[in-house]
Amino acid sequence: MARIGVFVCHCGENISATVDCGKVAETVGKLKHVAFSTDYKYMCSDPGQTLIKDAIKEHKLTGIVVSACSPRMHEPTFRKAAAEAGLNPFLCEMANLREHCSWVHEKNEMTTDKAIDLVRILIEKVKINSALQPIRVPVTKTALVVGGGIAGIQSALDIANTGHKVILVERSPSIGGHMSQLSETFPTLDCSQCILTPRMVEVAQHPNITLYTYAEVESLDGFIGNFTVKIRKKAKSIYEKDCTGCGLCTTKCPQKKIPNEFEEGLGFRPAIYVPFPQAVPNKPVIDREHCTYYLKGKCKVCEIVCPTKAIRFDQPDEVIEVKIGAIVIATGFDIKRSNFFPEYGFGKYKDVIDGLQFERLASASGPTSGAILRPSDGQVPKNIVFVACAGSRDPAKGIAYCSKICCMYTAKHAMLYKHKVHEGKAHVFYMDIRSAGKNYDEFVRRAIEEDYVNYIRGRVSTIYERDGKLIVKGVDTLLGAQPVEIVADMVVLATAGVANPGAEELAQKLHVSYDSHKFFAEAHPKLKPVETNTAGIFLAGACQNPKDIPDSVSQASGAAVKVAALFSQSELTREPLVAYVNRTSPPMYSTCVGCFLCQSVCPYQAIEHEDFKTRDGKIIKTVAKINEGLCQGCGTCVALCRSKSIDLHGYSNNQVYTEVVALLNDY
Amino acid sequence: MNSIVSRAKELLENKSVQVIVGFEAGPTGKARPAFVTYPSKTDILIFDERCVQNLAVYLTKKEVKQFGKIGIVATLPIMRSIMMLISEQQVFAENIEILGVSTEGKYLDIADIQVMQGYIEKCDLSNPSNDQETLAMLNKMSMQEKFDYWQNELSTCIKCYACRQACPMCYCTRCAVECNQPQWIPVQANTHGNMEWHILRAMHLAGRCISCGECGRACPVNIPCHLLTMQLADQAHKYFNVYAGTSEKMSSVLSTYEPNDKESFIL
Ligand SMILES: Cc1cc2nc3c(=O)[nH]c(=O)nc-3n(C[C@H](O)[C@H](O)[C@H](O)COP(=O)(O)OP(=O)(O)OC[C@H]3O[C@@H](n4cnc5c(N)ncnc54)[C@H](O)[C@@H]3O)c2cc1C
Ligand code: SF4
Ligand code: SF4
């Protein structure tokens, strides 16, 4: 016979100020099967928990109802206390007298009556609860890192250094991401390549890291600890083992005028190319879209000149399948290009460039070998205007957020310009200077005070060309919105940071959520910034929102620790509150008729097929089966299944029905 | 319909199918379902305006399935039912042959499911016009009037479940009403419980009803229960632009989500 214990918590005054806790305990104490009932100031405190444990033992309780706060807060606490007293943790239920009652009602008799009802229904439920055992699932200790920018590199290295295998998948021909394009980096002005390339090399050499460049994730199945990923390795058209990276082919390719992505269109590259000199791996790929052979059917110059005969024109894409246990998404970001701005000429003026183009101009390895020259005529600009918040913080353009990095890199750009063109004048139009961060504001102050950059607080309304000069019209809001007109030689737009193209598609493939701007969404904005809503998948770097290198690297290491923590266990345990499809005796096997409508409704792809076969292997019946590793216990399938063949452990049809009936019945 | 007979004979003779499900004339002059397994018996098959039953209901019955491959005389609603059953994995396309009958009552040569799909797509898939009229009348009523109307109609339900048995889409081997742990729907017939049953049935058929009207015809006490599921078929079309039984890959409207689904009915 059931012997239920009820423990009513005052939560200090949080509950007892409006609910008569003593009366609740006394009333429910008289109900059938309630063997013990009491109230106490803080049930979650040590003495509170001891009170519960002692009562379980002393009164031989078969189930308890802790009537306190939200189970989201303290369910683990009380379930653990129950377990310590020898009671199966799933025989402990929590009635939420705080969020569901005391906090939302005034002090009166009805409030106390409602509290009694809330406890009553759970007394009835816990009577029919069954003892549940945690689910154990194995863990494949290999991680997948998607995206080889600085964030992906850092995560891969950190995970690999804990002794676990890592597969790093990068879409472009080399790892490095945007950081490899930068000249110097704020706030220290150290050379970006110099600090990045050692890490890139380390990735290439690390025994625990398998690097797939020119590759993309094709699909993902499975669940935390047990994913199966398909990776498409796009055909590079070279046999990498034979290629020595001599680069002869790239000098002989007749296609010489393909806009160079790495140089942000400020330079050209051949059809067989290595994106930049320090690329990892340093072996070329053939860009089939521009290669004469693929376009016209003849050429093969590279094949002729290659000393090791490494060119493979007929190489197909290869799709490989690997088992992994965790994923770090580090696919980074992109920026809006100048053609996004009608007011600044839609990208029509050659000397209106974006921030990444400026980085390439300022970079010693860039198209001008580090000289700041106008793209139009190669002249040194004497007057340069930087426009911060180009697109960012502009709801009218659909980008209400702050891109976070532009204030800092604009100050950097202005400084770099002044360091290279001493007599030149640099102006910055800004909305606010956002330079929170270690040594960040000092950096901006240096630009203003030591390099005499002219900061003007106001927006630029239009830019147009006159006599080979760019006329920049704006206002100075600190001078009472006085109109300002600057005749500039060059304009640099600090354009908004946006999600990478393909981010949405990737999110859908990986079944993780993303926000309205297509940035990957974290599980909790404050307490779970590294996790996604899908267990076992983590975020690093600018794929979550635009962020700078230190932030990207910190998050990358954070994600690596999450993966390492996961891999430190050989088995995962999960709450057994999952759905199950019933089983009956043959020839029915289950009341499930195999319509599989539940399969399409399950948000977690947790529903699989199970065949019942005769001894000679003939299928008698196919029914649904829940994968316990994937099921999140949302109950959607339970609601959908017409034959009521699915039920949920811990929240069964019967338990819910019992609660409803208890509420309708008098006591 | 000589072509039905000759095609049925041919299919049975060359053993393409083991049974033909069609219509024959019963002793009282009404049409009734026929299950023909010998080529020599195919002469009994008829098709005329008396043949309205939705024969697809037999496709999921084990007594019929045990014969092997099935040939079935199929009007538009039967074809749509077959589509639904294929999409819900209850019937496999390779296990049936279609002896099609057009909406004008003419024999249709239907080689495979793709041809059938092509035919369905060309037809008017809205509810039959007389039912549309009744629904229009009901939809003009106030909430209270509608409730009273249905309460009155359903009070006479004897819970014989003929509506369920007649429906090809009610193929569950254990119906939700037979579930007694817990007993969501009471066993005995009373107005309240009858309404619960009919609401449950309507919801289980939401977006799956192919508007054959068989449930209403089957009801021994003349409850127009087909109007409930037809109304939902209308709504599924209005909100999600789908008609049930038009594709073998279709998933139920209620179990799928498309980013551009209308949500105007969600408060
Ligand atoms: C003009 C400019 C100047 C900047 N200056 C500085 C500075 O001075 N200091 C500073 O701290 N920060 C600076 N930043 C910010 C810095 O660039 C970012 O913080 C950093 O690049 C973020 O790294 P990441 O790895 O998250 O993303 P990314 O650098 O964008 O790398 C993402 C990688 O993932 C790959 N990828 C994308 N999609 C896929 C896919 N589907 N599958 C596989 N691979 C994929 C990409 O090819 C890329 O290699 C600047 C940014 C800009 C725009
Ligand atoms: S919805 Fe129900 S009957 Fe259909 S497959 Fe799923 S469990 Fe089986
Ligand atoms: S309970 Fe939710 S997560 Fe689990 S199988 Fe059903 S629909 Fe999927």
Side-chain angles (χ1 to χ4, degrees), chain A residues 489-511:
Chain A
D489 299 307
M490 188 157 133
V491 177
V492 183
L493 305 177
T495 56
V498 292
N500 227 331
E504 185 176 19
E505 210 190 330
L506 182 68
Q508 289 169 352
K509 276 183 196 163
L510 302 180
H511 318 297

Side-chain angles (χ1 to χ4, degrees), chain A residues 578-579 598 601-607 626-627 630-638 646 648:
Chain A
V578 294
C598 52
V601 87
C602 174
Y604 304 98
Q605 282 77 35
I607 301 178
I626 313 283
N627 181 321
L630 281 177
C631 174
Q632 301 293 315
C634 70
T636 315
C637 59
V638 180
I646 319 184
L648 201 56

